[in-house]
Amino acid sequence: MTDITSLRDEPPYLRIASEIRRRISAGELAPGDRVPSTRQIARDWGVALATATKALTTLRMEGAVETKPRTGTVVAAAPTTARTRGRRPQGPSAGSPTQPPAEQELTLDRIVRTAIDMADSEGLSALSMRGIASRLGVAAMSPYRYVTSKDELILLMADAAYGEQFYPATAPTGWRARAELGARTLWTLHRRHPWLAQLESLTRPLLVPNLMVHGEWSLSALDGHGLDPTTLFDIHVLLYSHVQGLAVHLEREAHAAATTGQSEDQWMDSRATELQSLADSGRFPTFARVVASFGDGYDLRLDNLFELGLKALLDGLTPTIEAGGGEPNR
């Protein structure tokens, strides 16, 4: 019979791991099914991200779950929970290789891709060298044979992420079509990897080759119109800042949802009284009228804001770019 008192005294991460383990044993989560992410666990259980990460790490070390690139953490194909729970790892048998298979197969590319997957699913704040080693099933210090620090790893992650999309050999006709393609390509990458927008400021940009590929595309789209170099580069930076300035909210919202346990809609609903008080105060008549007209509320859609802002920027910049008197881009 289960001792209720002992369950209450059990650390939160073990209680969470036990519940997910129960779902797997009961067939509620089948092999290959995604298990709750660290953010979902943090929200549903009301715990810190570190606690949620520890719960998943426990299950991963047991062999109950595994990490799949581009998918996240899923139920392992052949969970070994019943066999391994509570047992200490055995030493190598006679004749076995000195390093376990995972150590032998470890490469820099695997480390970088695992780190990207971890940042995608759990946020950049959850990234750690120890956590990466755990996901890979290797010793905690093993990744340091390939990368000297977390900061160096993040640069490699950014370079790999920015290198996931390139541009056609034959460029679209006209500077505007080229500029739009460049901005939308960057937006797609930031959408896919929200943590990218957290890595740099405009004054201290990332100097990695694959980001330079996107910069080269943007500059070449604007070149050839007689713009002085400073104006040309200012416009290039302005277009990039539009992408980054919106993309930074992707990771911030995910972090806020995990730490508060509320979605964006739930957070706004919890502040309905304050919002109504501001609208009823009479001090902000335009705000009150516009908000009242929404009916079901305002739906903030970052993709729409990106397109609206890009069009406004390019419309506004067109006279400056085309007044230079240079030959249009071929």
Side-chain angles (χ1 to χ4, degrees):
M1 183 174 179
T2 303
D3 186 342
I4 301 299
T5 302
S6 65
L7 282 177
R8 288 174 180 168
D9 292 339
E10 195 176 36
Y13 80 93
L14 287 180
R15 292 203 301 271
I16 296 168
S18 295
E19 171 57 19
I20 295 175
R21 194 184 298 112
R22 183 199 65 76
R23 295 178 190 175
I24 295 172
S25 298
E28 296 173 19
L29 291 171
D33 286 352
R34 288 194 64 173
V35 301
S37 67
T38 53
R39 284 177 173 153
Q40 185 178 345
I41 290 171
R43 181 180 65 248
D44 294 347
W45 288 75
V47 296
L49 284 171
T51 300
T53 300
K54 199 170 181 179
L56 289 181
T57 299
T58 299
L59 292 169
R60 194 175 295 113
M61 293 178 70
E62 292 176 354
V65 301
E66 59 186 342
T67 301
K68 295 284 189 180
R70 295 276 165 262
T71 301
T73 303
V74 302
V75 178
T80 57
T81 305
R83 294 197 307 272
T84 61
R85 189 182 181 191
R87 292 179 54 182
R88 301 175 66 88
Q90 300 298 311
S93 59
S96 64
T98 303
Q99 289 182 316
E103 294 277 2
Q104 295 176 333
E105 298 168 3
L106 191 61
T107 64
L108 179 60
D109 182 66
R110 283 190 66 207
I111 293 169
V112 171
R113 297 316 307 182
T114 298
I116 289 174
D117 178 68
M118 189 172 183
D120 287 348
S121 61
E122 302 176 17
L124 196 63
S125 61
L127 187 70
S128 69
M129 298 294 278
R130 184 177 294 275
I132 292 163
S134 177
R135 282 194 174 212
L136 289 167
V138 300
M141 299 302 291
S142 295
Y144 286 102
R145 300 203 309 268
Y146 299 85
V147 60
T148 59
S149 67
K150 179 179 172 180
D151 289 341
E152 180 186 349
L153 176 60
I154 287 174
L155 288 177
L156 294 171
M157 291 164 58
D159 194 42
Y162 281 119
E164 290 177 357
Q165 286 196 231
F166 290 101
Y167 297 96
T170 303
T173 302
W175 71 267
R176 180 158 182 156
R178 295 175 69 178
E180 288 175 340
L181 178 57
R184 288 175 181 142
T185 299
L186 279 172
W187 178 248
T188 297
L189 289 173
H190 281 80
R191 262 298 202 182
R192 187 182 301 161
H193 306 294
W195 48 271
L196 282 173
Q198 311 293 325
L199 299 183
E200 61 176 326
S201 66
L202 292 180
T203 55
R204 301 188 183 193
L206 283 174
L207 301 177
V208 294
N210 283 325
L211 179 55
M212 291 295 294
V213 169
H214 300 283
E216 178 67 17
W217 178 271
S218 173
L219 288 169
S220 65
L222 301 169
D223 195 21
H225 291 270
L227 296 171
D228 67 86
T230 299
T231 301
L232 186 151
F233 210 85
D234 282 348
I235 293 173
H236 157 64
V237 171
L238 183 62
L239 290 172
Y240 179 72
S241 73
H242 174 58
V243 176
Q244 187 197 38
L246 284 176
V248 74
H249 298 288
L250 297 167
E251 181 80 349
R252 287 180 179 175
E253 171 54 29
H255 179 73
T259 54
T260 65
Q262 293 179 313
S263 67
E264 176 191 348
D265 290 340
Q266 290 170 328
W267 186 89
M268 288 299 299
D269 289 343
S270 71
R271 282 149 181 80
T273 301
E274 293 94 324
L275 185 65
Q276 192 61 49
S277 178
L278 288 171
D280 293 343
S281 69
R283 297 172 57 197
F284 315 106
T286 306
F287 169 79
R289 176 175 52 79
V290 172
V291 169
S293 70
F294 290 138
D296 292 332
Y298 172 66
D299 184 14
L300 193 153
R301 295 161 295 179
L302 288 178
D303 291 318
N304 288 24
L305 286 178
F306 168 75
E307 289 295 338
L308 179 64
L310 180 62
K311 181 179 184 302
L313 273 174
L314 295 179
D315 286 349
L317 290 168
T318 294
T320 299
I321 295 171
E322 297 186 351
E327 291 296 321
N329 289 322
R330 294 177 173 82

